[in-house]
Amino acid sequence: MTVSLCDVLKTAEKNNTAVGAFNVPNWESAEAITGAAEETNKPVILNYAPLHAPFMSMEDAAEIMKYFADKAKVPVCVHLDHGDSFETCIKAIQLGFTSVMIDASAEPYEENIQITSEVVKASHAVGVSVEAELGHIFVSVNGVGKAPVKVETKDSFGDVNDIYTRPEMAKDFAAKTGVDALAIAFGTAHGIYVTKPVLDLDRISEIKRAVDMPFVMHGGSGLSKEEFQTAIRNGIRKINYYTYMTLSGGKAVKEAADRMSAGDTVFFHDIPGIAVKAMKEDVKQAIRIFSNEI
């Protein structure tokens, strides 16, 4: 069943868990994610980000995500991840997304507030939830499917408070924008970790004491179960997870190909199923961790 971000976050807040948000650049990803959600009987978020446009357009993604969300036996949110403008967010809403993220975190603080407020006003008018971002979330890979590059770390910058989310700023931002969820920066990174990140997990608790609202972790792949669950205990309610999911699908296909002899017949229709099965198992493991079940 299709629901809003606020709906799944209420459940996560009540149970002191986090809901997984998994990216959808193709049909197979949507099938794997919703299949995992149904088998674990847990809500899930289907993400589409503008960076997936080379693989699938937002228009096509909307149809696929809505199809799987509508027929799912568990609550599924259809979410725009890292919307880069007011216009992109409005387009997503018109296509049927039930939640949008406006990411103006690279802009000056007051401009981030202004842009986010405009998106919140337009989205709330039609019952759509809004996520925003405050702080700097590192990037550790030069695009999905490309070779890892040097990881950004807090040492790449000056004062850590200039890149990590400040509690007092989060409180002010939430009050001035009316946003439903806030992606906060505390040391995680998007992509493949080539060095282990140093997380400031206590900062989540500090921000939570300043403003009691659902927080979002971006760059969740590659962390330990203990790190995930400490972050959840401290206030994280949505976790974006993609890189290791899609890597599991690619690895399974490669291993299947390596097992074939030179004379074997290969049918393309068998290949997507191999990837779906592997990705579904990876997502199920992530969901169980986020639900504090393992």
Side-chain angles (χ1 to χ4, degrees), residues 54-97:
F55 311 113
M56 185 167 63
S57 69
M58 186 190 295
E59 290 83 357
D60 288 342
E63 292 301 315
I64 291 170
M65 294 162 74
K66 288 189 296 179
Y67 168 76
F68 279 99
D70 287 344
K71 75 185 188 75
K73 298 181 178 69
V74 295
V76 178
C77 171
V78 178
H79 179 73
L80 173 68
D81 187 35
H82 288 286
D84 52 11
S85 67
F86 176 86
E87 291 75 18
T88 299
C89 292
I90 296 303
K91 178 180 178 181
I93 293 170
Q94 292 170 338
L95 289 171
F97 284 65

Side-chain angles (χ1 to χ4, degrees), residues 14-36:
K14 178 181 177 181
N15 298 329
N16 198 25
T17 59
V19 59
F22 306 91
N23 289 32
V24 177
N26 48 47
W27 175 282
E28 290 77 17
S29 297
E31 182 180 356
I33 296 161
T34 53

Side-chain angles (χ1 to χ4, degrees), residues 104-171:
S105 59
E107 305 298 334
Y109 179 66
E110 292 300 331
E111 191 169 345
N112 189 356
I113 289 177
Q114 178 184 350
I115 295 170
T116 301
S117 297
E118 291 172 353
V119 172
V120 168
K121 182 178 179 180
S123 301
H124 284 183
V126 290
V128 171
S129 309
V130 181
E131 173 188 339
E133 184 172 315
L134 190 61
H136 182 90
I137 297 170
F138 305 121
V139 178
S140 61
V141 62
N142 186 21
V144 176
K146 298 182 181 179
V149 295
K150 182 180 179 182
V151 179
E152 294 178 294
T153 69
K154 64 183 179 64
D155 297 324
S156 307
F157 299 84
D159 185 354
V160 70
N161 284 309
D162 291 335
I163 52 176
Y164 286 3
T165 305
R166 300 183 184 186
E168 68 278 8
M169 191 172 286
K171 180 179 180 180

Side-chain angles (χ1 to χ4, degrees), residues 269-280:
H269 60 244
D270 292 326
I271 296 174
I274 295 170
V276 168
K277 181 179 179 181
M279 289 192 293
K280 182 168 71 172

Side-chain angles (χ1 to χ4, degrees), residues 75-289:
V76 178
C77 171
V78 178
H79 179 73
L80 173 68
D81 187 35
H82 288 286
D84 52 11
S85 67
F86 176 86
E87 291 75 18
T88 299
C89 292
I90 296 303
K91 178 180 178 181
I93 293 170
Q94 292 170 338
L95 289 171
F97 284 65
T98 59
S99 171
V100 297
M101 177 194 181
I102 176 63
D103 183 2
S105 59
E107 305 298 334
Y109 179 66
E110 292 300 331
E111 191 169 345
N112 189 356
I113 289 177
Q114 178 184 350
I115 295 170
T116 301
S117 297
E118 291 172 353
V119 172
V120 168
K121 182 178 179 180
S123 301
H124 284 183
V126 290
V128 171
S129 309
V130 181
E131 173 188 339
E133 184 172 315
L134 190 61
H136 182 90
I137 297 170
F138 305 121
V139 178
S140 61
V141 62
N142 186 21
V144 176
K146 298 182 181 179
V149 295
K150 182 180 179 182
V151 179
E152 294 178 294
T153 69
K154 64 183 179 64
D155 297 324
S156 307
F157 299 84
D159 185 354
V160 70
N161 284 309
D162 291 335
I163 52 176
Y164 286 3
T165 305
R166 300 183 184 186
E168 68 278 8
M169 191 172 286
K171 180 179 180 180
D172 182 68
F173 186 87
K176 289 180 177 178
T177 62
V179 72
D180 301 297
L182 186 62
I184 57 175
F186 55 94
T188 57
H190 291 289
I192 303 168
Y193 291 130
V194 293
T195 62
K196 182 67 176 175
V198 178
L199 306 183
D200 185 357
L201 295 170
D202 290 337
R203 184 173 291 260
I204 305 170
S205 299
E206 294 170 7
I207 301 170
K208 186 74 170 178
R209 286 192 290 270
V211 54
D212 188 10
M213 67 179 300
F215 299 133
V216 181
M217 174 195 287
H218 283 244
S221 297
L223 302 184
S224 69
K225 180 185 79 169
E226 290 73 24
E227 287 169 323
F228 277 126
Q229 293 181 343
T230 298
I232 292 166
R233 282 195 302 274
N234 292 356
I236 292 294
R237 294 292 170 257
K238 172 178 177 279
I239 297 176
N240 283 29
Y241 180 100
Y242 174 66
T243 302
Y244 282 66
M245 177 194 85
T246 195
L247 282 174
S248 70
K251 179 181 178 182
V253 170
K254 183 179 184 301
E255 289 175 348
D258 289 344
R259 289 193 297 268
M260 296 176 184
S261 63
D264 286 345
T265 300
V266 179
F267 295 101
F268 176 76
H269 60 244
D270 292 326
I271 296 174
I274 295 170
V276 168
K277 181 179 179 181
M279 289 192 293
K280 182 168 71 172
E281 291 305 311
D282 189 79
V283 173
K284 283 164 63 176
Q285 178 80 352
I287 289 173
R288 291 183 179 120
I289 291 172

